[in-house]
């Protein structure tokens, strides 16, 4: 039986469509999963969506729909992007799945029964977006230390997890298992910032909102969204405190959790402790990947620099975006994405280096050998160098991929492509063809180039699955496994290839940037949801503003604040009740022209019908000024 490899991404919070930075994680994990499968592992690749919490409850409310409906929508959007990016996951778990909910409740109960969870009172500060409680001393400038947003004072009954009980055990575990937290630099962060100062017991239930998994024995409380989310790694593969599935027995512990560096604390402190309390083995490795920045700043909707993977793959291609993300994200420090750098990567790496190599080589085979891959004939030392470069590139690549240094691994592959291009220049096939006595040499050169292309494409399979497959098909390769890269010369000769297609056409940068601008303009106009304080021109056009003349005006007997006005709007007359009696005598208004919201739903105010609203300005704290219109403007004029 093959060795298993259980790999997970963090589940994505179903609050909104994930940007390309969030999508990096699934693509990175997918590359690792594909790589491990090619190494012969029985890979189980798990991803999904995290769907509970106050933030989602509020977003759904804003949309006027039930939270479940909201997360259904976002979760399927996320899954669509994962699928589009060719993510080869085996399980897509949603924290609203019934099995997950049942097991979270059982886990909570079990931990409570064991004494790891206890009921107490919480008083402190709460950050809604982070769903985190903070003490006075944890706040930074009175704001959330994680996201720097404002926090709200909260006091409520809450269940707590006895984190402190496991602190020593966890410290020891991290010290004994040097590969547990990767990259290594992040381990110190966790030890020094969180473990050494001492662990506080963790507040693990919420009463302030409803959208969560209820605590089974105290349903006023919902389970803290982080506990709910973290245990997805075990519920997804069939964990159950009563009786776990065989699948769980086989797959757990996870071999690799891939997560963003910002949630490392949850995965290297809370998660291991939860597992210890459940008496389960800890995951073997946790990899905190860096962030993808838009240029040099964090991607954010309010800044307006957000890019989406599905848009990018339409503008370029799925494989090109995978290649870009995987090759340009460093191992431990943040990467960057801009349209310019995607275009330059495309042109230099994909078009000039890889595409050109394949096209040139296949073209020459078609031209010189009628498309039939030649056999090796006359060899020189130059060939040995290329051959050993191929084999050593694979070794390098495999070692780096095993260490999850994906961008370095890609660099090794592309170095081979550059080496092969150089081999063309060194051997000058276009001169060899001219003299029949050089044809033996020409055969060898073209065979070696084809075999180098095979090496490159097999290594690129986890990175660009489709493009790699296309190239392998182009060169008619039957040998596409890692095993076949241990030795140079597996490609069959005597096989006839098709006329080569261009894989990556060179991009005209100026033209492409224009196209991108147009694309973003078209898309954003309809799809982007707007920052909270803005409306679209369509929203505004729903409001009908018209000029009305005050025909009559009187005080309303039942109220000191209200005036009743009869207004003429040209083709119709209406009655409006307005709260301006403090500032205007009725006589002063008669004959004046005012602006009225003319399509307001009629309402009864103090028993009087009001069919519109008069616009007025808050001139100062205790002064209201009606906005008058010049008397020359005809009654009923539309205001835009
Ligand atoms: Zn926060």
């Amino acid at each position: 039986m093959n060795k298993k490899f259980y790999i997970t991404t963090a589940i994505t919070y179903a609050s909104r469509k994930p940007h390309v930075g969030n999508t990096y994680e699934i693509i990175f994990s997918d590359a690792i999963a594909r790589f491990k499968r090619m190494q012969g592992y029985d890979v189980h690749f798990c991803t999904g969506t995290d769907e509970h919490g106050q933030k989602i409850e509020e977003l759904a409310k804003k949309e006027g729909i039930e939270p479940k409906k909201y997360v259904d929508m976002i979760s399927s959007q996320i899954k669509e992007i994962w699928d589009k990016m060719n993510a080869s996951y085996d399980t897509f778990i949603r924290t609203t799945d019934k099995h997950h909910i049942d097991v979270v409740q059982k886990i909570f109960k079990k931990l409570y029964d064991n004494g790891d969870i206890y009921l107490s009172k919480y008083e402190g500060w709460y950050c809604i977006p982070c769903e985190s409680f903070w003490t006075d001393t944890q706040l930074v400038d009175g704001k959330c230390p994680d996201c720097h947003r404002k926090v709200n004072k909260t006091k409520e009954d809450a269940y707590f997890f006895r984190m402190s009980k496991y602190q020593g055990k966890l410290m020891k575990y991290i010290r004994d298992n040097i590969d547990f937290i990767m990259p290594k630099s992040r381990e110190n962060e966790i030890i020094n910032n969180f473990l050494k100062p001492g662990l506080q017991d963790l507040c693990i239930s919420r009463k302030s909102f409803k959208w969560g998994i209820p605590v089974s024995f105290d349903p006023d409380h919902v389970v803290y969204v982080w506990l709910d989310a973290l245990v997805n790694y075990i519920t997804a593969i069939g964990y159950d405190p009563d009786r776990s599935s065989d699948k769980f027995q086989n797959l757990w512990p996870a071999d690799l959790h891939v997560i963003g560096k910002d949630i490392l604390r949850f995965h290297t402190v809370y998660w291991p402790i939860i597992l210890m309390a459940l008496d389960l083995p800890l995951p073997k490795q946790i990899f905190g990947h860096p962030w993808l920045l838009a240029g040099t700043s964090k991607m954010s909707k309010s800044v307006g620099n957000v890019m989406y993977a599905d848009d990018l793959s339409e503008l370029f291609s799925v494989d090109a975006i995978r290649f870009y993300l995987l090759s340009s994200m460093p191992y431990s420090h943040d990467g960057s994405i801009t349209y310019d750098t995607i275009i330059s990567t495309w042109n230099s790496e994909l078009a000039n280096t890889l595409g050109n190599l394949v096209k040139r080589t296949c073209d020459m085979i078609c031209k010189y050998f009628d498309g039939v891959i030649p056999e090796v004939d006359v060899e020189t030392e130059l060939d040995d160098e290329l051959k050993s470069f191929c084999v050593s590139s694979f070794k390098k690549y495999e070692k780096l991929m095993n260490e999850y240094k994906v961008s370095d691994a890609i660099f090794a592959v592309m170095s081979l492509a550059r080496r092969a291009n150089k081999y063309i220049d060194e051997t000058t096939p276009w001169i060899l063809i001219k003299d029949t006595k050089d044809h033996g040499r020409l055969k060898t050169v073209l065979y070696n180039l084809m075999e180098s292309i095979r090496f490159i494409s097999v290594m690129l399979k986890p990175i660009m699955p489709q493009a790699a497959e296309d190239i392998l098909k182009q060169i008619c390769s039957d040998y596409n496994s890692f095993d076949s890269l241990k030795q140079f010369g597996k490609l069959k000769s005597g096989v006839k290839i098709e006329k080569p297609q261009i894989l990556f056409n060179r991009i005209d940068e100026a033209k492409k940037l224009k196209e991108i601008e147009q694309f973003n303009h078209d898309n954003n106009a309809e799809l982007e949801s707007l920052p909270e304080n803005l409306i679209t021109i369509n929203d505004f056009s729903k409001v009908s503003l018209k000029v009305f003349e005050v025909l009559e005006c009187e005080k309303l007997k039942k109220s000191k604040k209200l005036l009743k006005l009869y207004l003429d709007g040209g083709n119709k007359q209406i009655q409006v009740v307005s709260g301006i009696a403090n500032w205007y005598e009725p006589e002063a208004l008669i004959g004046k022209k005012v602006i009225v919201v003319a399509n307001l739903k009629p309402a009864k105010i103090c028993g009087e019908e009001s069919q519109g609203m008069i616009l007025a300005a808050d001139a100062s704290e205790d002064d209201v000024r009606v906005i008058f219109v010049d008397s020359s403007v005809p009654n009923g004029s539309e205001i835009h």
Side-chain angles (χ1 to χ4, degrees), residues 127-132 134 144-149 151:
C127 175
I128 295 175
C130 296
E131 320 245 353
S132 291
W134 304 106
C144 171
D146 275 357
C147 72
H148 313 295
R149 289 190 184 88
V151 287

Side-chain angles (χ1 to χ4, degrees), residues 101-165:
I101 292 172
D102 290 348
V103 174
V104 168
Q105 289 183 324
K106 283 189 189 177
I107 288 173
F108 199 97
K109 177 81 167 45
K110 178 172 171 164
L111 295 174
Y112 180 76
D113 291 343
N114 290 353
D116 287 308
I117 287 177
Y118 62 93
L119 184 64
S120 181
K121 260 197 197 330
Y122 190 87
E123 193 171 358
W125 301 94
Y126 188 59
C127 175
I128 295 175
C130 296
E131 320 245 353
S132 291
F133 281 113
W134 304 106
T135 60
D136 278 323
T137 53
Q138 284 172 317
L139 297 183
V140 175
D141 300 329
K143 289 181 178 157
C144 171
D146 275 357
C147 72
H148 313 295
R149 289 190 184 88
K150 82 177 205 305
V151 287
N152 302 316
K153 187 112 201 165
T154 320
K155 183 180 179 180
E156 62 181 35
D157 284 347
Y159 288 90
F160 284 79
F161 192 107
R162 254 183 250 283
M163 289 283 152
S164 45
K165 179 175 151 192

Side-chain angles (χ1 to χ4, degrees), residues 563-625:
L563 293 180
K564 184 165 82 174
L565 304 99
Y566 296 99
L567 305 172
D568 177 58
N571 55 6
K572 73 168 179 179
Q573 296 185 349
I574 60 171
Q575 170 179 308
V576 167
V577 177
S578 178
I580 52 176
N582 277 342
W583 300 282
Y584 289 95
E585 289 301 323
E587 304 75 48
L589 292 172
I590 293 170
K592 289 272 176 26
K593 296 199 181 192
V594 296
I595 302 171
V596 173
V597 180
N599 60 341
L600 204 62
K601 195 175 155 207
K604 275 241 153 67
I605 301 175
C606 272
E608 294 284 346
E609 168 114 352
S610 182
Q611 299 163 302
M613 188 170 75
I614 296 172
L615 297 194
D618 282 326
S620 69
E621 204 167 310
D622 195 34
D623 191 17
V624 171
R625 297 282 103 196

Side-chain angles (χ1 to χ4, degrees), residues 27 29 92 99 105 206 228 263 355 416 448 458 496 538 607:
I27 295 172
S29 308
F92 190 99
H99 169 76
Q105 289 183 324
R206 300 288 185 265
D228 172 357
I263 54 172
L416 173 57
N448 286 349
V458 171
K496 194 171 164 137
N538 286 338

Side-chain angles (χ1 to χ4, degrees), residues 548-564:
F548 278 73
E549 183 180 342
V550 182
L551 300 178
E552 287 173 40
C553 182
E554 61 185 75
K555 282 194 164 148
L556 216 60
K557 287 185 190 81
K558 285 177 238 168
S559 161
K560 280 191 177 146
K561 289 181 184 166
L562 298 174
L563 293 180
K564 184 165 82 174

